[in-house]
Amino acid sequence: MEAQEHNEHTQEKKMLPPPVGTFQTREELIKHVRDFALTQGYMVSIRDSSKDRYVTLACDRGGVYRKRLKTGENLRKRKSESRLTNCSFEVVGKKDDDIWILSIKNGVHNHEASNDTSDHPSCRRFSEEEVKIIRELTAAGKRPRQILKALRQKNPNLVSDSRNVYNVKAKIRREMVSGKKMGSSGGVATTLTTLSEPMVQNGVAGTGSSQAYLERKAVTDTRALAAELCRHFYTLGWFSGTGGSIAIKVHDDAIPKPSQLIVTSPSGVQKERMVTEDMYVLSSDGFILLAPVLKAYPHMPPQCTDCAPLFMKITHMEMIKGIQGHSYHDELVVPIIENAAHEGELIESLVEAISIYPKTTAVLVRNHGVFIWGGSWISAKTQAECYHYLFDAAIKLHQSGLDWTTPSHGPICNVNGFRGCGGNYNRALKAGPLSLNYMTEPSQHCILLDIEGTIIPISFISDVLFPYTHDNVEKHLAATYDSEETQIDISLLRSQIETDLERGITGAVPIPPDYVGKELVIGSVVENVVAMIKNGRKVAALKQLQGHICRTGFQRNQLVGVVFDDVAEALERWQNSGIKVYIYCSDSREAQQLLANSNYGDLRKYFCGYFDTTVGNKEEIRSYLEILRMVGVDKPTNILFVTDIFQEASAARDAGLEVMMSIRPGNAPLPQNHGFRTIESLLEI
């Protein structure tokens, strides 16, 4: 009787077992079961298997939750109810000769049908092709939500979310450290082979053993060559103390070129002191196979260059050739791409430039440097020497008031829209060195600027942006609630509020879980945002949401960034002097670029990069050390930091940077005897 009632209950839910039958392959059988299971509201996973004999598929809600570790008061407890119900549903596939036969062992479930395929962990797993896409976009510096968007464009039925992307990215980071490669199922497989004969597996050469191959003469010679070239390029002035990188393929006739290993120099290491052991060895698809040994203080821990993804992309392009087909009368075009705060973000621009100009073997990065490559290290070195000569000649012609773009090298008639020789503009180029008498050349190579109280008046933030956020937060959340971006914003705020509640922060109220309903969640988020604004909080969760709200205002021309009157002129002067300018602000990088659309026009062209609190808190020394590493200057004093906050200035000074304090209307007063030089205008620099 009980069994009959249970069967009737199951039939009512329409959770039927898959139709039995025969199949040509094991994979075909498994796909048949899983596809049918989804139509019934359940999913199966492999419980037991012998690849050439049988496979047992069971309901993914089978089994029971097992308490993990410790006992008594220290017992680890789940924060949510387990989805396991000890369901006994099970089907079996057995191989008979060359045919796989499906049979039902237990076709009954003990739970309700699922209404959402995302409830099943197996449905949220990525395929091998999807893992490959995540790997490539991760190397390109893309964020999880950007990667997820790309995956959904390729597969609209994808049910995975950002958390699943985060998990895969975390495994990729771990495998980069361990030199192992992750499979599509999330497991790990070794990258190197252990066969006795030379061969290629997963793009990596193996012979005898992985370590044995890495110690072969071809690899060690290439590492030695890379170190030698780093030292040589330093003496030529092409590399700074820690700036600049090199990558060379390990030539091995036994290995196809696309699969040969790559040797690359580390980041943040003094190039004039490079030795063989400092070089990294990468697989053809970018895995770290051999890393430098950690050296004693004061040496920094070794780090693979941020250019590695760019080197990988260049090595796989088919346009690697010499500067050939060019004669004296031909035009040599070197494309220029815009700079980014992180070199990994240059990949798309680099590939696009190479595609548009297939003959080029060099790409200039504005306010940063140049990438040069060739079919061999000799070819690349020769081309670098040629480009250096051509670039140097062009600069000297330009400084002499001559047009380097024409064979006649006549006087410059127009430069960047300014009238040159023959005109009356007071900055006209004259014979001899470029004249910039109206300013004193600073000793710093880079300037790092705060936004609030330095570039933009505090009153613009407090009287314009905060009120706009206050007035539009509820409208924004209601309109975008179901978007991935807003769900991430709410998740970050929920985490922040949990911390605030533990610390007893005034105004913090719990944000309920999503299942209570959209209106209640939005109401509590609005209440917290209003309290944070009132209390002057500068937490990342608030700044990110505020940036997304204000983005709409800028796009609709409801907001225009207001900068001090001296800012635009100062930025232009610094750019003309070859000084790189960066932003470091608690606002998100996206919000910083929105503010650059100002009452003086779009100022983004003057900035080489943007840093936010993802590099660290602005009042912590390590944040400025990280920026030093990322910018790649010779020494900390080559960066001048300008801010209005005493604690930020102190942290930057302790990190070795030059610091100036900005005195602007509305800024908070500075402590007496603060010890910093102050300015009231950026034109004073």
Side-chain angles (χ1 to χ4, degrees):
M1 183 61 147
E2 182 180 349
Q4 182 179 354
E5 290 176 355
H6 191 82
N7 289 335
E8 289 175 354
H9 185 57
T10 303
Q11 290 175 358
E12 183 181 343
K13 298 174 186 176
K14 298 183 179 178
M15 294 175 65
L16 302 176
V20 297
T22 58
F23 304 88
Q24 295 296 319
T25 64
R26 173 179 178 270
E27 289 70 26
E28 183 182 337
L29 182 147
I30 294 173
K31 184 177 186 302
H32 164 75
V33 175
R34 286 180 170 168
D35 288 348
F36 183 84
L38 276 180
T39 67
Q40 301 296 305
Y42 65 93
M43 179 44 63
V44 296
S45 58
I46 298 176
R47 174 169 293 176
D48 189 18
S49 174
S50 175
K51 192 165 185 180
D52 294 325
R53 295 172 51 210
Y54 69 90
V55 59
T56 301
L57 301 170
C59 177
D60 67 354
R61 299 189 66 176
V64 293
Y65 173 69
R66 290 176 293 178
K67 297 177 181 178
R68 302 179 186 179
L69 305 179
K70 302 182 180 180
T71 59
E73 296 179 356
N74 294 323
L75 180 65
R76 177 176 174 179
K77 298 179 180 179
R78 289 182 57 92
K79 293 183 178 180
S80 59
E81 183 181 351
S82 171
R83 63 185 301 275
L84 300 181
T85 64
N86 203 21
C87 179
S88 57
F89 176 90
E90 196 171 87
V91 299
V92 178
K94 291 185 178 180
K95 188 175 183 181
D96 186 2
D97 293 332
D98 293 329
I99 299 296
W100 284 82
I101 303 173
L102 175 66
S103 61
I104 310 299
K105 186 174 181 180
N106 187 335
V108 178
H109 297 267
N110 65 353
H111 54 85
E112 298 284 345
S114 172
N115 295 321
D116 189 350
T117 55
S118 64
D119 291 341
H120 304 283
S122 58
C123 295
R124 299 195 298 268
R125 290 176 184 163
F126 295 109
S127 66
E128 185 175 346
E129 179 64 25
E130 287 166 341
V131 170
K132 181 180 178 182
I133 293 173
I134 295 174
R135 187 186 306 281
E136 293 174 350
L137 294 180
T138 297
K142 298 301 181 183
R143 295 182 176 181
R145 65 173 181 269
Q146 296 172 313
I147 296 175
L148 188 63
K149 182 177 180 181
L151 292 172
R152 284 178 174 167
Q153 288 176 345
K154 192 175 184 66
N155 178 13
N157 297 321
L158 187 70
V159 297
S160 303
D161 57 22
S162 293
R163 290 171 298 178
N164 303 115
V165 179
Y166 273 114
N167 292 338
V168 175
K169 284 170 67 71
K171 290 179 180 178
I172 291 174
R173 286 194 296 269
R174 290 196 296 270
E175 75 188 31
M176 291 295 285
V177 174
S178 64
K180 296 180 178 180
K181 182 172 182 179
M182 183 183 67
S184 60
S185 64
V188 176
T190 55
T191 309
L192 295 173
T193 64
T194 55
L195 303 179
S196 58
E197 295 298 324
M199 67 168 293
V200 174
Q201 177 175 324
N202 294 332
V204 181
T207 171
S209 71
S210 60
Q211 189 61 34
Y213 186 82
L214 293 175
E215 293 173 355
R216 287 183 62 175
K217 188 174 185 297
V219 178
T220 55
D221 284 355
T222 306
R223 296 178 76 196
L225 173 63
E228 178 188 348
L229 290 174
C230 283
R231 297 191 298 269
H232 176 60
F233 291 163
Y234 174 85
T235 63
L236 295 176
W238 296 357
F239 287 176
S240 64
T242 58
S245 293
I246 190 170
I248 307 175
K249 275 200 169 186
V250 178
H251 179 72
D252 187 337
D253 291 330
I255 307 298
K257 265 198 171 184
S259 301
Q260 290 174 353
L261 303 186
I262 297 172
V263 170
T264 184
S265 58
S267 174
V269 179
Q270 302 294 323
K271 296 298 187 292
E272 74 275 20
R273 298 177 60 85
M274 286 283 190
V275 294
T276 301
E277 292 74 20
D278 290 329
M279 299 299 113
Y280 279 87
V281 180
L282 310 180
S283 67
S284 62
D285 48 0
F287 294 98
I288 298 176
L289 305 179
L290 188 60
V293 177
L294 180 64
K295 296 182 180 179
Y297 180 86
H299 295 283
M300 298 291 288
Q303 184 167 350
C304 191
T305 173
D306 290 340
C307 294
L310 296 159
F311 290 151
M312 303 305 300
K313 182 60 67 171
I314 291 174
T315 60
H316 295 322
M317 300 293 289
E318 295 182 359
M319 294 78 114
I320 298 181
K321 49 177 75 78
I323 312 179
Q324 52 198 22
H326 292 91
S327 63
Y328 178 79
H329 296 287
D330 290 333
E331 179 182 60
L332 174 63
V333 177
V334 180
I336 302 174
I337 62 177
E338 296 300 323
N339 195 16
H342 304 280
E343 287 172 311
E345 297 175 2
L346 297 174
I347 288 183
E348 293 181 6
S349 300
L350 183 67
V351 171
E352 182 181 8
I354 296 174
S355 300
I356 296 174
Y357 300 98
K359 285 188 175 181
T360 190
T361 52
V363 173
L364 282 164
V365 182
R366 194 183 306 280
N367 295 320
H368 179 70
V370 63
F371 288 97
I372 300 174
W373 59 91
S376 67
W377 72 267
I378 296 176
S379 172
K381 178 176 177 291
T382 301
Q383 289 173 92
E385 293 166 344
C386 293
Y387 280 117
H388 180 265
Y389 173 84
L390 293 171
F391 292 153
D392 187 55
I395 291 171
K396 289 179 178 177
L397 287 168
H398 180 83
Q399 290 177 333
S400 300
L402 301 176
D403 189 353
W404 56 273
T405 64
T406 61
S408 62
H409 301 315
I412 296 176
C413 297
N414 187 292
V415 180
N416 294 334
F418 296 148
R419 295 172 64 187
C421 299
N424 58 5
Y425 189 69
N426 62 3
R427 294 188 198 174
L429 297 173
K430 303 175 183 178
L434 181 63
S435 176
L436 291 172
N437 296 326
Y438 57 89
M439 73 173 293
T440 302
E441 181 179 358
S443 60
Q444 289 79 18
H445 298 297
C446 303
I447 296 177
L448 184 65
L449 297 174
D450 182 29
I451 288 184
E452 300 176 25
T454 301
I455 296 177
I456 288 176
I458 294 289
S459 58
F460 176 72
I461 307 297
S462 60
D463 299 344
V464 178
L465 293 188
F466 280 171
Y468 185 87
T469 302
H470 180 283
D471 296 341
N472 290 275
V473 58
E474 185 171 6
K475 185 189 305 180
H476 170 82
L477 292 173
T480 63
Y481 184 81
D482 293 325
S483 69
E484 180 192 359
E485 180 179 84
T486 296
Q487 285 300 308
I488 292 175
D489 290 346
I490 293 174
S491 178
L492 287 175
L493 276 167
R494 185 179 279 118
S495 298
Q496 180 64 51
I497 294 303
E498 289 176 358
T499 302
D500 290 351
L501 290 170
E502 292 175 359
R503 296 169 53 195
I505 300 296
T506 303
V509 296
I511 299 177
D514 295 334
Y515 63 76
V516 303
K518 172 179 176 180
E519 290 74 17
L520 290 176
V521 173
I522 291 177
S524 60
V525 170
V526 171
E527 188 173 351
N528 280 290
V529 169
V530 170
M532 287 179 170
I533 292 175
K534 181 179 178 181
N535 296 328
R537 303 284 302 280
K538 290 188 176 182
V539 294
L542 173 63
K543 290 291 186 179
Q544 178 165 307
L545 175 60
Q546 181 181 346
H548 294 150
I549 295 171
C550 291
R551 177 182 60 198
T552 303
F554 281 101
Q555 291 173 345
R556 296 176 179 175
N557 294 321
Q558 297 170 340
L559 292 172
V560 176
V562 176
V563 301
F564 289 109
D565 292 337
D566 54 275
V567 171
E569 183 178 353
L571 291 173
E572 184 179 353
R573 287 185 181 183
W574 297 336
Q575 186 181 75
N576 291 338
S577 299
I579 296 175
K580 299 178 180 180
V581 184
Y582 298 86
I583 293 290
Y584 183 28
C585 179
S586 56
D587 290 310
S588 67
R589 292 166 58 198
E590 182 181 33
Q592 294 173 31
Q593 296 182 66
L594 291 173
L595 292 174
N597 288 284
S598 72
N599 52 329
Y600 278 83
D602 190 347
L603 302 179
R604 288 175 296 184
K605 59 186 176 183
Y606 297 116
F607 298 121
C608 296
Y610 306 84
F611 298 101
D612 57 18
T613 49
T614 56
V615 301
N617 189 292
K618 294 183 69 181
E619 297 181 4
E620 295 180 1
I621 298 174
R622 63 181 180 86
S623 305
Y624 299 92
L625 295 176
E626 178 66 10
I627 291 175
L628 287 172
R629 187 192 67 78
M630 296 172 73
V631 172
V633 295
D634 292 337
K635 50 187 178 180
T637 52
N638 284 351
I639 292 186
L640 169 64
F641 179 50
V642 185
T643 181
D644 65 310
I645 305 298
F646 174 73
Q647 292 81 356
E648 297 174 2
S650 299
R653 179 180 58 189
D654 292 344
L657 280 68
E658 294 289 334
V659 180
M660 291 184 182
M661 297 292 297
S662 174
I663 306 297
R664 300 282 200 179
N667 287 7
L670 296 175
Q672 291 185 353
N673 303 320
H674 53 75
F676 291 102
R677 178 183 169 186
T678 61
I679 59 170
E680 296 182 0
S681 166
L682 296 183
L683 293 174
E684 297 178 34
I685 302 176

